[in-house]
Amino acid sequence: IALDGANPVVSGEAAIAAMPSTRRAGTKPLAIEGYNLTTLNWEVPTAGHRYGGFQAGVQLANRSGALNEIEYSEFVVKTQAFADAINATPEFPEMLEEVARARELDQFASAHDAQLGFTIRARDASWSPGYVQQNAAHLGFVAGVIPGRMVLPASTEGLAPLLVLSFDPQAALAEDPAQSAIRDIALHLDVAQVDRNEQPFDRMREVAAELAHTMDGVVTDDNGQLLTAATMDRIGVELQSLYDTLEQRDLAAGSLLARRLFA
């Protein structure tokens, strides 16, 4: 987005006032950044700063699908309105080319979007919510914002959790939790959201085994089939191959680009 005029400068206040009311085009995030004339870096417009140019972008794909023609048009309309408000002229890439790029990226993402789930099922006696929470807390889980959900935080604050543990939310909300019977709990790993250096799958196996041992349960897949050590080993090998593929596309698991794409 090139600024018009002989000495083009836009204040942060003016840029903020011109920003679109929503930072989305359909289901895709939209971003506008300014070139800070003091730091010489691109940044989200901030009051008190001066900018010599702007750039706008829209995400090509996420778990809602590829950017389509309608979303691209919405991006163009919002960017043009921003440019008009600050006396600037935008240049847009050709729509069909960008939509084609979006579809290619979406196809890759769909083929490499792994979300792993284990189920821990009670052998005999059912569990109360408090019993589940107590055992999970011993392994580092903390309460999530949704009833019946706990998370194992990443080593870096603010990033997606390593693992998510969930159970019947109605049991969690029951007036007398001690009388709520839970027969199974689920462990979930969103592969692309977590850095491979965190070794989340190994942690998932350890957590599942420990919970099954202490709570007298068994580890199964979603269909109730027992998960053997050999099966988990095969999953681990396939997972390493997936990590390598993502890195080759500059979409390493846990990276900012991967977290945006697989969201």
Side-chain angles (χ1 to χ4, degrees), residues 2-10 37 50-53 87:
L3 298 180
D4 300 331
N7 186 27
V9 176
V10 173
L37 292 174
R50 299 165 65 250
Y51 299 96
N87 192 30

Side-chain angles (χ1 to χ4, degrees), residues 204-229:
M204 188 179 189
R205 291 184 65 170
E206 293 169 1
V207 166
E210 183 63 23
L211 289 175
H213 173 71
T214 59
M215 297 169 60
D216 190 24
V218 293
V219 183
T220 75
D221 61 17
D222 292 341
N223 298 317
Q225 297 297 313
L226 289 176
L227 287 173
T228 65

Side-chain angles (χ1 to χ4, degrees), residues 148-197:
R149 175 184 167 103
M150 300 182 74
V151 299
L152 184 64
S155 58
T156 302
E157 186 176 355
L159 294 183
L162 267 65
L163 301 173
V164 174
L165 180 150
S166 58
F167 56 91
D168 185 2
Q170 292 185 344
L173 293 170
E175 292 184 6
D176 185 3
Q179 300 302 316
S180 301
I182 297 173
R183 298 291 306 172
D184 57 70
I185 59 179
L187 275 178
H188 180 260
L189 166 60
D190 193 338
V191 174
Q193 293 288 324
V194 183
D195 191 320
R196 74 187 298 181
N197 292 325

Side-chain angles (χ1 to χ4, degrees), residues 3 8-10 12 34-37 43-46 49-54:
L3 298 180
V9 176
V10 173
Y35 186 69
N36 189 313
L37 292 174
E43 65 181 26
V44 175
T46 304
H49 294 183
R50 299 165 65 250
Y51 299 96
F54 293 87

